[in-house]
Amino acid sequence: MLKKWLEHIEEGLIAFLLAAMTVVTFAQVVARYVFNYSFVWALELTMFFFGALIFLGISYGVRVGAHIGVDALVRALPARAAHKLAIVSTLLCILYAAIVIYGGWIYVDKIYTIGIMAQDLPIPQWVPRVVLPLGYALLIWRLGEVLWNLLRGGNASLLGDEVADAMKLLDENDSKGDAA
């Protein structure tokens, strides 16, 4: 129940950020080229939304298996060795994310302590930057789910399978062509 709730919040926030970025950018273009006016804060706000979209999208990509990577060596290994390598890879990803959280927290804390304000918006700079450690904390949560599934003997992956996705898309297109 909590997991589904978090997933809906994650998806909703990503959709909101993408929509808000689009609306702000569209409004800026219309204001500039139609009314010869420019919103000073539009670029900075769009950058903040884009940064949040990236850091929240990392964990979403793990959840849906959308990250790409080079896995030719892993696919050449026997299933048991590939499974063990997947566990090690996931642990290394968790370690990396923990390091980024630690460094990100130090970074955000320094900005908060110094009191740096955003250039064009009347908000403290730490507010949009806090998404860095929060996004990586969410990434650790998702990687923990992958690791748990792997440790239970499940077949979890950090990467998407481009070949399987392409074949599925080809099959869908073929079936649509047959129906027409």
Side-chain angles (χ1 to χ4, degrees):
M1 174 88 172
L2 177 64
K3 182 179 174 184
K4 287 290 180 195
W5 184 73
L6 275 174
E7 288 176 1
H8 287 302
I9 288 177
E10 180 183 37
E11 290 170 354
L13 194 52
I14 288 171
F16 167 78
L17 289 168
L18 189 57
M21 249 177 37
T22 304
V23 167
V24 170
T25 303
F26 178 76
Q28 175 71 344
V29 168
V30 169
R32 181 173 289 167
Y33 293 106
V34 175
F35 300 108
N36 201 26
Y37 179 79
S38 180
F39 301 114
V40 176
W41 47 265
L43 179 61
E44 187 173 43
L45 183 61
T46 302
M47 286 186 342
F48 290 158
F49 285 159
F50 190 62
L53 184 66
I54 289 170
F55 289 118
L56 295 174
I58 293 170
S59 65
Y60 179 77
V62 168
R63 188 181 111 210
V64 299
H67 289 287
I68 60 171
V70 179
D71 59 352
L73 175 66
V74 174
R75 290 183 185 269
L77 293 174
R80 187 174 172 105
H83 187 78
K84 288 181 181 181
L85 188 58
I87 291 171
V88 171
S89 298
T90 306
L91 287 170
L92 289 173
C93 288
I94 290 171
L95 175 65
Y96 173 76
I99 291 169
V100 173
I101 289 173
Y102 178 73
W105 188 256
I106 290 171
Y107 173 67
V108 170
D109 183 54
K110 286 187 181 190
I111 290 175
Y112 174 79
T113 302
I114 294 171
I116 298 173
M117 297 294 287
Q119 291 179 351
D120 299 323
L121 294 169
I123 60 170
Q125 192 69 264
W126 69 268
V127 172
R129 307 275 188 217
V130 79
V131 76
L132 171 65
L134 291 177
Y136 272 86
L138 191 54
L139 176 62
I140 286 181
W141 173 266
R142 296 294 179 208
L143 291 170
E145 290 176 338
V146 170
L147 181 63
W148 178 251
N149 196 14
L150 286 168
L151 291 174
R152 291 187 326 176
N155 187 14
S157 175
L158 293 175
L159 305 175
D161 189 346
E162 296 85 20
V163 174
D165 292 343
M167 294 303 290
K168 180 180 174 188
L169 186 62
L170 182 64
D171 289 342
E172 287 174 4
N173 287 340
D174 284 345
S175 65
K176 286 180 186 176
D178 294 340

